[in-house]
Amino acid sequence: SQTIHQWPATLVQPVGSPLSLECTVEGTSNPNLYWYRQAAGRGLQLLFYSVGIGQISSEVPQNLSASRPQDRQFILSSKKLLLSDSGFYLCAWSAYGGRETQYFGPGTRLLVL
Amino acid sequence: SQQGEEDPQALSIQEGENATMNCSYKTSINNLQWYRQNSGRGLVHLILIRSNEREKHSGRLRVTLDTSKKSSSLLITASRAADTASYFCATDANRYGNKLVFGAGTILRVKS
């Protein structure tokens, strides 16, 4: 069966520090991968998605970047965190394209102080 | 603005009652999905209904889709305290390409 992992679960970082969040998927090949951010009490905002290694689509201009160095690994990064980067970050994968069912990881709660 | 918008924003019911949540969207879709999120957790897929389907059931869940009104509803029958969560609809609207667009969600609280 397929599983998706995210780490860390919680992160507290000072403004201006770098960020690296990792997401890995097991049990499937060539998944579509997604990074979302969720503000408190709000819906999900799609940040990046990837249909293959090295292929990244950015949805909104921002302080973040994403990379996909391996088929089942998706990394969210920042060189310098802003207060506004605080939120709940969710990684998801889908098997047949983004319009079909997406399976979410447990999320990373980021607090930038 | 969001492609999918849920209504109501929050709903509080007693255990055993039915809960109905609605979702409206703006453009044509291939499918619409409902997800549940427990507090502080990832989303869990509940059900997917395609544009050529009008109703779908899964256990205590019933989803309807009215493409003429661009709306969907999620009915949870005989609710339980464990159903307390946020519920989101997501649409794949053609013009959004290879991705889903999520609404802001309905917060459901089931009191025991």
Side-chain angles (χ1 to χ4, degrees):
Chain A
S1 64
Q2 301 88 5
T3 55
I4 178 169
H5 304 279
Q6 283 186 248
W7 64 90
T10 305
L11 192 58
V12 181
Q13 291 285 96
V15 169
S17 64
L19 173 74
S20 181
L21 303 182
E22 189 163 343
C23 170
T24 59
V25 181
E26 296 177 357
T28 188
S29 296
N30 196 31
N32 282 15
L33 295 171
Y34 305 85
W35 276 112
Y36 292 90
R37 177 168 58 203
Q38 184 178 32
R42 303 292 298 278
L44 277 68
Q45 179 187 32
L46 180 63
L47 302 175
F48 301 95
Y49 70 94
S50 172
V51 299
I53 295 174
Q55 301 179 61
I56 308 294
S57 294
S58 175
E59 288 300 297
V60 293
Q62 58 203 309
N63 185 42
L64 302 168
S65 62
S67 62
R68 185 170 177 174
Q70 300 180 45
D71 181 45
R72 289 169 287 179
Q73 184 185 30
F74 205 22
I75 297 172
L76 183 69
S77 304
S78 173
K79 292 181 179 177
K80 287 186 178 182
L81 284 169
L82 306 172
L83 288 173
S84 58
D85 292 324
S86 293
F88 191 47
Y89 289 83
L90 289 158
C91 181
W93 72 273
S94 66
Y96 304 113
R99 297 180 179 189
E100 299 297 320
T101 299
Q102 293 187 14
Y103 301 93
F104 285 79
T108 294
R109 188 160 303 282
L110 172 66
L111 179 60
V112 182
L113 300 175
Chain B
S1 63
Q2 296 282 1
Q3 158 72 343
E5 296 185 0
E6 291 89 344
D7 166 60
Q9 290 185 333
L11 180 61
S12 183
I13 59 174
Q14 290 293 134
E15 204 165 27
E17 295 180 339
N18 296 341
T20 299
M21 288 158 271
N22 303 296
C23 171
S24 60
Y25 57 91
K26 296 183 173 64
T27 62
S28 63
I29 61 172
N30 294 302
N31 67 58
L32 184 145
Q33 304 179 43
W34 285 92
Y35 288 80
R36 183 186 74 213
Q37 183 182 33
N38 289 85
S39 180
R41 308 291 293 274
L43 277 71
V44 174
H45 179 259
L46 294 176
I47 202 163
L48 180 152
I49 186 166
R50 300 200 182 277
S51 59
N52 61 352
E53 298 175 307
R54 291 296 167 259
E55 188 170 311
K56 208 161 182 179
H57 296 256
S58 177
R60 294 184 294 112
L61 306 180
R62 172 179 168 247
V63 169
T64 61
L65 179 64
D66 186 335
T67 53
S68 66
K69 295 181 180 178
K70 292 186 170 58
S71 67
S72 173
S73 67
L74 169 66
L75 169 67
I76 303 174
T77 60
S79 63
R80 305 166 181 168
D83 295 327
T84 295
S86 293
Y87 292 82
F88 297 89
C89 70
T91 53
D92 73 329
N94 292 328
R95 70 187 179 101
Y96 291 108
N98 193 34
K99 55 193 176 185
L100 297 177
V101 178
F102 287 81
T106 291
I107 300 171
L108 173 65
R109 181 185 171 206
V110 181
K111 295 176 285 187
S112 56

